[in-house]
Amino acid sequence: MKKHILYFWLLLVSVPMFGQVYRNPIIPGFHPDPSVCRVGDTYYLVNSSFQYFPGVPIYESKDMIHWQQIGNVLDRESQIPLKGATSWQGIYAPTIRYHEGTYYMITTNIGNGGNFMVTSKDPKGPWSEPIWLEQQGIDPSLYFENGKCYMVSNPDNTIMLCEINPKTGKQLTMSKALWQGTGGRYPEGPHLYKKDGWYYLLISEGGTEMAHRLTIARSKNIDGPYQSNPDNPILTHCSLAGQYSQIQGTGHGDLVQANNGQWWMVFLAYRNFGGAYHHLGRETFLAPVQWDKGAWPVVNGGNPVDTVMFVNEERRMKNEESIGAKNEKREVKGTPLNDSSFFILHSSFNWLYLQNPLMENYEVKNGVLRLHPHGTLAENDRPTFKGVRQEDVNLLVETEVCSVPDKKMPMRAGLSVYQINDGFLSFGVENNSIVLRVKLKTIDYVVGSVPLLEATQNVKLRIIADEKQYAFAYSIDGNTYHPVGNMDCTLMSTEVAGGFTGVIIGMFAEGDNPASAVDFKYFKYQDLER
């Protein structure tokens, strides 16, 4: 049964749902480090994007359950230089805030500049050029009060506070230490809130793996001293209660209050498949929070978070009669491309490139996408690659590779299941054959190879995945598909391949001759419900 089909535009459309439960993750796939704010009756959420361009996807919702991507905050190379960025670099955890008619997004560009913020009057953009900041440390956040703008981040494994000019970024006060957490490694992801006369400081600890957790402290003064919650951590699955959950690595959260006064938390976690392995990356989850007057916040009643969450009557969103058991997506189909859709194709919100793309290597001609090679995926130097996040466990991805009559075929071209530059699968045309390869660290191994009868044949490539494996097949006539090989999903997990993100599936062209080219007639992404 088809749940949704996405072609080149890959739009997400919400539909009203009914029931008293919702499904986690609320934004699946590679969507780590969520931050959220509410403006009126609308919620806005951003995620980190690391080495991918464009950066910092921004989502909109009316109920915090159904989210639609409305753009990318960093959509120009001048905002997001990514030279040489790996899966461990680029854009780290962003924070989104709204104050007096202006939206602020503050984040870190690891390897290319450090901490900066951008602003906009409209969350859909355009957003400003970077405003660079003096206080370093990752995961910066903003807090506004009484005409002042405060910044927190974590230089030297300590949460530090300073006042800044929100227009220029100039630091107005010395950085002051607030808290080092409860003793877990990597105290990071700080956010400040004020409630009932207390300043609350929420942070992450333990690293973004099994020991990840959220802790909180509070003070009557913004600059401290901060006292730790005696019931810390307020969220972790590294516990007796959570150790057997599929959901692990819970942490890096942000709090928001709904119109009806109910508090909620968005946070990252990952889902294990095939044992203690995760390949989809760190995803965005949601949990209710009870925050009584003068008390400490309690996340999900102190219980582990699940993939299916039951919502009490009093915790429903304002004007929300009920919440659906599944965060369904309406089926969306794209239309054939033509030359006039070049701009649409290259500005689609969901597409991702590795580092800042060389746009001359991506063309739309006569309704097809033409790719010119630039090195290889393994070289990690702006390779020719255009993909989307794998958001579904069970899926079908398909494309058709065509020779360009007046140009030489690139060395390799086809589909890639990409986790990191030295951890990916490639499936496509190579030396007049259909070839399936696995790249893992120093290993570059041909799993299967089938010769083509003609070098100019059009070939359809298909990947079908479930929680255990990726199955690769090809077709010449478009009807009969021939298997080439299966690969275990654990090979693309963070635990095996490495990386800090999640699987991206897309089209690629590799080679040392930029004059060569290959055409892709379409790209189909279909979520399969088993």
Side-chain angles (χ1 to χ4, degrees):
M1 177 181 178
K2 294 185 292 184
K3 288 173 64 181
H4 68 279
I5 297 177
L6 298 95
Y7 286 81
F8 273 109
W9 284 271
L10 298 167
L11 299 175
L12 304 181
V13 182
S14 299
V15 294
M17 301 305 302
F18 301 94
Q20 287 184 287
V21 296
Y22 68 90
R23 186 173 294 276
N24 268 320
I26 54 170
I27 307 180
F30 163 45
H31 291 97
D33 307 318
S35 175
V36 65
C37 71
R38 177 176 63 86
V39 181
D41 63 352
T42 305
Y43 302 87
Y44 299 98
L45 184 147
V46 292
N47 299 103
S48 50
S49 50
F50 293 86
Q51 80 273 38
Y52 290 100
F53 179 92
V56 186
I58 181 166
Y59 289 84
E60 180 182 85
S61 175
K62 293 293 186 180
D63 59 13
M64 291 195 73
I65 307 298
H66 309 92
W67 294 89
Q68 181 175 355
Q69 188 173 355
I70 58 172
N72 293 281
V73 175
L74 307 175
D75 58 7
R76 308 185 297 278
E77 185 170 354
S78 58
Q79 296 173 306
I80 177 176
L82 292 170
K83 183 177 181 180
T86 68
S87 175
W88 307 98
Q89 297 176 311
I91 300 299
Y92 273 39
T95 295
I96 186 169
R97 293 293 183 259
Y98 176 82
H99 181 66
E100 295 183 349
T102 299
Y103 293 85
Y104 296 81
M105 192 284 295
I106 183 171
T107 188
T108 311
N109 189 339
I110 298 293
N112 284 282
N115 288 335
F116 69 96
M117 65 180 178
V118 292
T119 64
S120 178
K121 295 295 184 180
D122 185 340
K124 297 179 181 179
W127 291 74
S128 72
E129 290 298 300
I131 301 168
W132 296 99
L133 304 166
E134 298 172 50
Q135 181 171 291
Q136 292 304 300
I138 62 171
D139 307 349
S141 182
L142 296 174
Y143 174 74
F144 294 89
E145 184 180 50
N146 297 330
K148 295 182 178 182
C149 177
Y150 297 92
M151 170 187 170
V152 285
S153 60
N154 76 332
D156 301 320
N157 282 319
T158 302
I159 307 303
M160 306 285 282
L161 171 80
C162 68
E163 184 186 345
I164 65 171
N165 183 321
K167 294 183 178 180
T168 66
K170 179 177 176 58
Q171 187 165 328
L172 303 178
T173 63
M174 296 287 291
S175 298
K176 181 171 184 177
L178 298 186
W179 195 39
Q180 289 186 309
T182 63
R185 67 173 185 162
Y186 305 138
E188 58 194 19
H191 293 301
L192 275 171
Y193 316 90
K194 190 175 185 181
K195 184 178 183 295
D196 307 325
W198 290 94
Y199 294 92
Y200 289 84
L201 176 59
L202 177 71
I203 73 167
S204 311
E205 298 184 51
T208 187
E209 302 93 21
M210 289 287 289
H212 211 28
R213 55 187 179 268
L214 281 159
T215 58
I216 196 165
R218 69 183 184 181
S219 173
K220 285 291 186 178
N221 300 303
I222 193 169
D223 57 356
Y226 282 80
Q227 54 186 247
S228 178
N229 180 357
D231 292 326
N232 275 326
I234 61 172
L235 177 64
T236 185
H237 278 202
C238 189
S239 61
L240 284 174
Q243 63 181 325
Y244 298 118
S245 173
Q246 182 193 26
I247 301 169
Q248 292 297 328
T250 54
H252 201 110
D254 198 2
L255 292 160
V256 67
Q257 189 175 28
N259 274 328
N260 64 358
Q262 168 63 35
W263 285 87
W264 296 83
M265 175 182 281
V266 295
F267 59 96
L268 72 78
Y270 57 81
R271 290 177 290 166
N272 282 331
F273 297 97
Y277 301 93
H278 73 282
H279 62 289
L280 298 189
R282 298 167 298 161
E283 306 171 293
T284 293
F285 289 72
L286 176 70
V289 177
Q290 182 176 341
W291 202 348
D292 296 335
K293 185 175 181 179
W296 296 98
V298 178
V299 181
N300 198 39
N303 300 309
V305 176
D306 207 343
T307 53
V308 177
M309 297 287 291
F310 292 86
V311 181
N312 295 334
E313 194 74 24
E314 65 271 15
R315 289 179 176 170
R316 291 179 178 176
M317 304 294 177
K318 185 178 180 181
N319 299 325
E320 187 72 11
E321 292 184 2
S322 54
I323 297 175
K326 293 184 179 180
N327 315 332
E328 294 284 0
K329 301 169 186 175
R330 182 181 299 162
E331 182 176 304
V332 178
K333 293 184 179 181
T335 55
L337 291 171
N338 53 49
D339 293 340
S340 64
S341 62
F342 178 86
F343 177 78
I344 296 174
L345 174 63
H346 287 274
S347 63
S348 177
F349 301 146
N350 306 87
W351 286 116
L352 293 175
Y353 303 87
L354 284 163
Q355 304 166 344
N356 304 115
L358 297 169
M359 293 310 297
E360 62 268 24
N361 291 332
Y362 304 82
E363 302 178 79
V364 175
K365 288 190 174 182
N366 302 318
V368 300
L369 174 66
R370 179 165 296 178
L371 297 184
H372 298 268
H374 181 259
T376 68
L377 294 174
E379 290 171 340
N380 197 47
D381 180 19
R382 297 191 290 179
T384 301
F385 174 84
K386 188 178 184 73
V388 295
R389 296 169 176 85
Q390 182 181 344
E391 297 184 355
D392 306 284
V393 177
N394 303 302
L395 81 159
L396 178 150
V397 172
E398 186 179 284
T399 192
E400 184 171 356
V401 179
C402 312
S403 297
V404 179
D406 59 342
K407 294 182 181 295
K408 182 181 178 182
M409 178 75 80
M411 179 180 69
R412 298 173 188 160
L415 294 172
S416 178
V417 178
Y418 185 94
Q419 177 67 253
I420 191 172
N421 66 294
D422 59 0
F424 60 88
L425 309 174
S426 61
F427 178 53
V429 180
E430 176 183 342
N431 296 326
N432 298 333
S433 296
I434 304 295
V435 177
L436 172 61
R437 287 179 173 268
V438 57
K439 169 66 176 173
L440 277 176
K441 304 298 189 284
T442 59
I443 299 171
D444 190 348
Y445 179 71
V446 174
V447 179
S449 180
V450 179
L452 291 172
L453 296 178
E454 301 175 22
T456 59
Q457 282 181 302
N458 290 359
V459 179
K460 286 193 174 184
L461 305 173
R462 175 180 287 179
I463 303 172
I464 295 179
D466 58 25
E467 65 180 41
K468 295 181 179 179
Q469 65 181 9
Y470 296 98
F472 300 84
Y474 76 96
S475 176
I476 300 299
D477 62 11
N479 297 310
T480 303
Y481 280 82
H482 308 279
V484 177
N486 296 344
M487 300 300 294
D488 199 297
C489 290
T490 59
L491 293 175
M492 291 297 99
S493 68
T494 294
E495 290 77 13
V496 176
F500 211 37
T501 52
V503 167
I504 309 295
I505 300 180
M507 302 160 286
F508 75 93
E510 295 183 327
D512 56 9
N513 180 9
S516 62
V518 62
D519 285 347
F520 291 81
K521 291 189 71 173
Y522 65 94
F523 181 89
K524 177 180 177 181
Y525 179 111
Q526 180 180 346
D527 176 17
L528 303 174
E529 183 178 7
R530 301 297 186 185

